[in-house]
């Protein structure tokens, strides 16, 4: 993580150097259950449906989530490494000081969640649902977000570095001040108003030419 070049000052998770082992594998997680100060690794979290679950100062490593819904989840000082979070429901959650490193997040639902100081690195969030997301100090770094849905997301100090935004929906999400110049943006779903103040490369202007009503003469 130290080698990445980010324009944001994201606060990293505050994880103790020594963590006890926690287990959610083969455990029925109930609403309002709380897990703190531990490592959860090398297992399958399957068929869970609970609300207002909280994880604080927890490290997830090599965990696969299957048929999991944790609506209104509370994540603080948490890191996910090499985890499969595909199709999980984390909607309407509070996610603060969290890192997701090399995670598979295809189809994840984080709609209407509040993200603060969150770092996504080398994650596959294709087809993810980020509708009405409220983001502040969030960095998507080398991520695949093709066909993800950021409809009416709120961005404040958000960065996209070298990420795939092809066919990604961002209608109603203001991109003012956001630098997309290093991203793949073919088919990005936006309006002219959404692009006001967005930073793009000269080559990307061509991709937006039809939206802007431009005719480029060769």
């Amino acid at each position: 993580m130290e080698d990445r070049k980010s324009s944001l000052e994201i606060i990293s998770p505050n994880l103790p150097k020594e963590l006890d082992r926690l287990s959610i594998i083969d455990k029925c997680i109930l609403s309002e259950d709380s897990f703190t100060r531990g490592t959860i690794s090398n297992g399958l979290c399957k068929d869970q449906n609970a609300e207002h679950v909280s994880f604080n100062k927890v490290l997830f490593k090599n965990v696969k989530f299957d048929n999991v819904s944790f609506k209104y989840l509370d994540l603080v000082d948490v890191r996910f490494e090499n985890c499969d979070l595909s199709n999980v429901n984390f909607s309407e959650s509070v996610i603060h000081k969290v890192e997701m490193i090399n995670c598979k997040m295809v189809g994840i639902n984080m709609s209407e969640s509040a993200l603060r100081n969150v770092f996504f690195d080398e994650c596959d969030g294709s087809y993810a649902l980020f509708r009405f997301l409220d983001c502040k100090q969030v960095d998507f770094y080398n991520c695949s977000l093709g066909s993800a849905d950021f409809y009416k997301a709120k961005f404040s100090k958000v960065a996209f570095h070298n990420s795939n935004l092809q066919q990604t929906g961002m209608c109603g999400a203001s991109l003012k001040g956001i630098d997309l110049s290093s991203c793949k943006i073919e088919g990005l779903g936006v309006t002219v108003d959404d692009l006001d103040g967005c930073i793009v490369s000269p080559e990307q202007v061509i991709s937006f030419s039809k939206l802007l009503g431009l005719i480029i003469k060769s």
Side-chain angles (χ1 to χ4, degrees):
M1 178 176 172
E2 290 76 13
D3 294 331
R4 72 183 179 92
K5 296 179 180 179
S6 175
S7 58
L8 305 180
E9 295 180 359
I10 293 178
I11 302 173
S12 299
N14 182 17
L15 290 170
K17 291 183 178 180
E18 295 185 4
L19 292 169
D20 296 328
R21 287 189 61 84
L22 297 175
S23 179
I24 60 173
I25 312 305
D26 299 323
K27 173 183 174 64
C28 180
I29 298 176
L30 303 177
S31 293
E32 301 189 13
D33 274 354
S34 180
F35 301 87
T36 186
R37 298 180 68 92
T39 300
I40 300 169
S41 61
N42 302 313
L44 174 66
C45 178
K46 186 175 182 179
D47 299 330
Q48 302 285 355
N49 188 349
E51 297 182 353
H52 299 286
V53 177
S54 66
F55 293 93
N56 183 272
K57 299 186 186 303
V58 174
L59 171 62
F60 290 89
K61 295 185 69 173
N62 304 309
V63 177
K64 177 178 173 61
F65 294 77
D66 183 16
N67 190 32
V68 172
S69 177
F70 288 153
K71 196 173 181 179
Y72 311 117
L73 179 67
D74 188 10
L75 292 176
V76 180
D77 289 317
V78 173
R79 179 182 296 128
F80 294 86
E81 296 180 4
N82 305 309
C83 293
D84 188 343
L85 297 144
S86 297
N87 299 311
V88 303
N89 181 11
F90 286 175
S91 61
E92 298 184 68
S93 297
V94 174
I95 301 173
H96 179 46
K97 291 194 292 182
V98 170
E99 293 175 350
M100 293 192 174
I101 313 298
N102 194 32
C103 290
K104 186 176 180 182
M105 303 168 14
V106 176
I108 192 172
N109 184 358
M110 287 188 176
S111 297
E112 300 183 68
S113 293
L115 274 61
R116 299 291 185 271
N117 290 290
V118 179
F119 176 54
F120 297 91
D121 185 15
E122 299 282 354
C123 291
D124 184 356
S126 304
Y127 300 99
L129 293 177
F130 296 127
R131 296 170 67 88
F132 301 100
L133 200 66
D134 184 351
C135 296
K136 187 173 183 179
Q137 297 290 126
V138 177
D139 192 348
F140 294 91
Y141 195 82
N142 290 338
C143 291
S144 178
L145 300 167
S147 298
D149 186 356
F150 286 89
Y151 177 73
K152 287 195 174 180
K154 183 179 179 181
F155 296 141
S156 176
K157 298 183 180 178
V158 174
F160 295 89
H161 294 96
N162 300 314
S163 292
N164 179 6
L165 300 175
Q166 293 173 307
Q167 307 300 322
T168 301
M170 289 190 173
C171 285
S174 174
L175 298 173
K176 185 175 182 179
I178 293 180
D179 188 346
L180 300 182
S181 62
S182 64
C183 298
K184 297 178 180 178
I185 50 84
E186 291 79 8
L188 182 67
V190 288
T191 67
V192 173
D193 290 340
D194 299 330
L195 289 174
D196 185 26
C198 181
I199 302 168
V200 298
S201 70
E203 294 78 12
Q204 289 172 332
V205 174
I206 298 175
S207 295
F208 292 127
S209 60
K210 290 184 179 179
L211 181 66
L212 298 172
L214 300 176
I215 300 175
I216 298 177
K217 184 176 180 180
S218 59

